[in-house]
Amino acid sequence: MALKDGIIRAYVPWLGASGYRVIDYSAARNNATLTNMDAGTDWTAGCIDGLTGTVLDFDGTDDTVTATATQSLTTYPFTLSSWGLVKVIPAANSFFLTVGTASSTYFGIGWANASGNLRPSIVGRNTTFTQNTTGTGTNFPINTWHHLVGVFESATSRKLYLNGRLVVTGTGSVTELANGTGVRIGSGFGTLFLNGQIADALIWNRVLPDA
């Protein structure tokens, strides 16, 4: 199966600045909008593994990128993927990518503050809330590009990959969100803003088995 199969959203700032829009390169063409951001300064140059491209810079206060889909993006199974970096360890959490409807109903991949240490995090939140992070003793640097892939296979199966390596599994039950149509890049829904940068944000309606 090709990597592009099942991709339902493909936001890729890396491919170039586009004003106050972030182009969706998937077949859906569901472009997103810069919110509380400056199209003149928040598109900036980035370098990942020696390759240069365009990235979005988020201030950690209220910057976010938003889109609303016409179909649910949170019906199991689905996969979230994003390249990004964290500039400052968040007070609690910050997100690369979230999908859902509101601050109490969403699924996301990002980072958590664990006693002052930066840890990758995968979150499922509907009628119940579950967050899974890496265990103690595993800390990650700021100002470093990381690739996060969150695989939401079922209500009791979540996996988080960091730079191609499985780092977190979660089995706490979180029912799917049948009407999860909102997308947020660089934040949760009205909160948990990223102080950092994002190169891409992708969503599949299937499991990526070799994430």
Side-chain angles (χ1 to χ4, degrees):
M1 182 179 290
L3 185 62
K4 68 180 181 180
D5 290 346
I7 194 164
I8 52 176
R9 295 295 181 274
Y11 301 105
V12 192
W14 189 255
L15 296 179
S18 50
Y20 282 93
R21 295 185 309 163
V22 180
I23 296 172
D24 176 13
Y25 289 92
S26 77
R29 298 293 189 263
N30 183 206
N31 295 335
T33 303
L34 271 62
T35 303
N36 301 319
M37 301 181 72
D38 186 336
T41 60
D42 287 330
W43 292 97
T44 188
C47 181
I48 304 175
D49 293 337
L51 301 175
T52 57
T54 304
V55 299
L56 277 169
D57 191 78
F58 296 82
D59 65 6
T61 301
D62 59 3
D63 285 1
T64 188
V65 174
T66 65
T68 301
T70 57
Q71 87 278 21
S72 179
L73 305 175
T74 53
T75 303
Y76 294 127
F78 60 94
T79 297
L80 308 181
S81 168
S82 183
W83 271 100
L85 67 76
V86 178
K87 292 182 179 179
V88 177
I89 296 175
N93 298 80
S94 63
F95 284 103
F96 281 0
L97 175 61
T98 56
V99 292
T101 58
S103 60
S104 59
T105 48
Y106 66 87
F107 298 81
I109 54 173
W111 298 85
N113 182 331
S115 301
N117 299 308
L118 187 65
R119 306 277 175 77
S121 167
I122 183 169
V123 169
R125 186 163 192 165
N126 193 356
T127 53
T128 56
F129 169 75
T130 298
Q131 173 175 283
N132 305 104
T133 65
T134 55
T136 59
T138 307
N139 306 312
F140 298 88
I142 61 173
N143 294 310
T144 300
W145 284 97
H146 291 294
H147 186 216
L148 291 181
V149 176
V151 178
F152 297 80
E153 188 167 6
S154 69
T156 55
S157 177
R158 288 171 302 284
K159 297 177 181 178
L160 181 64
Y161 295 81
L162 172 67
N163 302 329
R165 181 171 62 91
L166 179 63
V167 292
V168 174
T169 59
T171 58
S173 183
V174 180
T175 56
E176 68 183 12
L177 182 59
N179 62 341
T181 59
V183 178
R184 300 293 183 270
I185 303 170
S187 76
F189 284 75
T191 185
L192 305 175
F193 296 95
L194 172 71
N195 188 333
Q197 298 180 337
I198 297 288
D200 69 17
L202 311 175
I203 305 171
W204 284 263
N205 63 1
R206 65 179 178 92
V207 168
L208 294 188
D210 297 318

